[in-house]
Amino acid sequence: MHVPDGFINAPVSAVTAVVAAGAIAVSLRGARRELDEKTAPLAGLVAAFIFAVQMLNFPVAAGTSGHLLGGALAAILVGPFTGVLCVSVVLLMQGILFADGGLTALGVNITDMAIVTTVVSYAVFRGLVKLLPRKRRSITVAAFVSALLSVPAAAVAFTLIYAVGGTTDVAISKVATAMIGVHVLIGIGEAAITALTVGAVIAVRPDLVYGARGLQQRLKLRVNGELVDAPTTLAPVAARSSHRKVWITGLVTSLVLAGFVSFYASASPDGLEKVAKDEGIDKKVEKHATEDSPLAGYGVKDISDARISGGLAGVIGVGVTVVAGSGVFWAIRRRRSADASPASLPEGI
């Protein structure tokens, strides 16, 4: 659902840029509360994983494909504020390095793909978690449903933005019907990927899943015939030792998906591209500012072999995204630590 330059007029693009900037500013503050010694290293990896999986377009209908948006996945794994930042980092890397999503439309894309998907999915997720039994399986079910609903929600958001700032004279009812219809199907794929990923992390390290916090039970010890809570210092030893394994496994998985599996992704246009072509809303699409980038189109310039070119571009993308994301989240985590240091507290505390 990457909106190119020219779909939305300049005034509305400017308004969405202000909205996106405001949301990012709020998210930077909110992420300080979410990022701790567990989630901070994971957040950069989540951004890289979303980048990798977005390269894997899957068929959803005749001549149409879809790909992960990632808002629900990021919000559930590392928190809603951090989730907005994760998807925003991905969109920024894609727009600048790979000419995917217009630069003047960056505000539209962040508003639609980062903010709307994250807010809607996490609201639905938290509501379902409160209603469902307090079990790990409930987290996976809630992840599936929230991810499923987040994609058509983004399609509705795009339709509303286009109704206000679209550059072509097209009946909005047709755009809405086509966008929502195809993105409901894409939502099923989004839901499956999100549920499988969240379920896999929960199975290994439930303490790393932000959305599962509060559902874990304390380790019990039998003392004099009675069960008592174990000291917290006894429980995390094994978890800490496996933290690095989880991170390495996630990074290797992302590299394999982007560097190898992406070659077999569907070549059909994604939902927005198909609707734009069918309904004629792409008549005023503009040349991308970075279309001459060495990585434009998810290939490495001057490498003729498509498999090598695309795979290398994917690996570079994962590497750049994990470095950029980790740098952002490390800085936020460091700021949180500085704010919480004794020197920063008022006297008497």
Side-chain angles (χ1 to χ4, degrees):
M1 201 184 292
H2 294 75
V3 179
D5 295 319
F7 273 26
I8 307 299
N9 62 32
V12 174
S13 295
V15 170
T16 58
V18 173
V19 172
I24 289 175
V26 172
S27 296
L28 285 169
R29 294 184 63 86
R32 294 185 201 174
R33 299 190 298 271
E34 295 173 346
L35 293 171
D36 54 23
E37 67 279 358
K38 295 178 182 178
T39 53
L42 184 64
L45 178 62
V46 168
F49 182 77
I50 290 173
F51 175 91
V53 180
Q54 282 196 3
M55 293 184 67
L56 309 180
N57 281 46
F58 48 84
V60 295
T64 309
S65 69
H67 62 71
L68 181 81
L69 298 185
L73 178 62
I76 295 167
L77 288 179
V78 292
F81 293 108
T82 308
V84 169
L85 299 178
C86 282
V87 181
S88 297
V89 167
V90 173
L91 293 172
L92 187 61
M93 295 299 102
Q94 291 170 331
I96 294 176
L97 297 179
F98 298 91
D100 189 9
L103 296 185
T104 62
L106 187 59
V108 176
N109 285 320
I110 290 177
T111 300
D112 196 26
M113 295 177 65
I115 301 170
V116 172
T117 58
T118 301
V119 171
V120 170
S121 63
Y122 199 71
V124 173
F125 175 81
R126 294 310 308 174
L128 289 174
V129 167
K130 291 180 180 179
L131 295 174
L132 295 172
R134 295 173 62 84
K135 297 180 179 179
R136 292 181 183 178
R137 184 176 300 177
S138 297
I139 300 297
T140 305
V141 172
F144 183 94
V145 176
S146 61
L148 174 62
L149 295 178
S150 70
V151 179
V156 171
F158 169 79
T159 303
L160 293 175
I161 293 172
Y162 194 83
V164 178
T167 55
T168 56
D169 186 15
V170 179
I172 296 302
S173 58
K174 291 184 178 180
V175 176
T177 301
M179 283 292 292
I180 296 171
V182 71
H183 284 91
V184 167
L185 298 177
I186 295 173
I188 298 173
E190 176 102 10
I193 294 170
T194 301
L196 287 171
T197 305
V198 171
V201 178
I202 285 181
V204 180
R205 287 291 304 275
D207 59 305
L208 292 181
V209 179
Y210 182 89
R213 291 182 177 183
L215 298 182
Q216 300 178 61
Q217 295 182 347
R218 290 282 299 275
L219 178 66
K220 299 288 186 178
L221 295 177
R222 187 174 295 278
V223 179
N224 297 327
E226 295 182 2
L227 288 177
V228 297
D229 288 336
T232 55
T233 54
L234 296 181
V237 176
R240 286 198 301 267
S241 65
S242 63
H243 185 279
R244 183 176 298 178
K245 294 181 180 179
V246 172
W247 199 91
I248 293 175
T249 300
L251 180 60
V252 170
T253 301
S254 300
L255 291 171
V256 170
L257 292 175
F260 177 74
V261 180
S262 62
F263 181 78
Y264 301 97
S266 173
S268 299
D270 67 22
L272 176 59
E273 292 173 332
K274 187 70 165 67
V275 172
K277 182 177 180 181
D278 291 347
E279 303 300 332
I281 66 177
D282 62 348
K283 294 178 181 179
K284 294 187 179 181
V285 65
E286 299 175 1
K287 177 181 177 180
H288 198 286
T290 63
E291 71 172 18
D292 295 327
S293 163
L295 299 173
Y298 296 94
V300 178
K301 191 176 181 180
D302 297 330
I303 295 183
S304 57
D305 188 292
R307 186 188 297 269
I308 297 176
S309 177
L312 184 56
V315 169
I316 293 172
V318 168
V320 171
T321 303
V322 76
V323 169
S326 297
V328 169
F329 299 122
W330 176 82
I332 296 172
R333 170 63 179 160
R334 186 178 180 183
R335 179 65 181 272
R336 167 179 167 166
S337 300
D339 290 344
S341 65
S344 66
L345 297 176
E347 284 189 39
I349 296 181

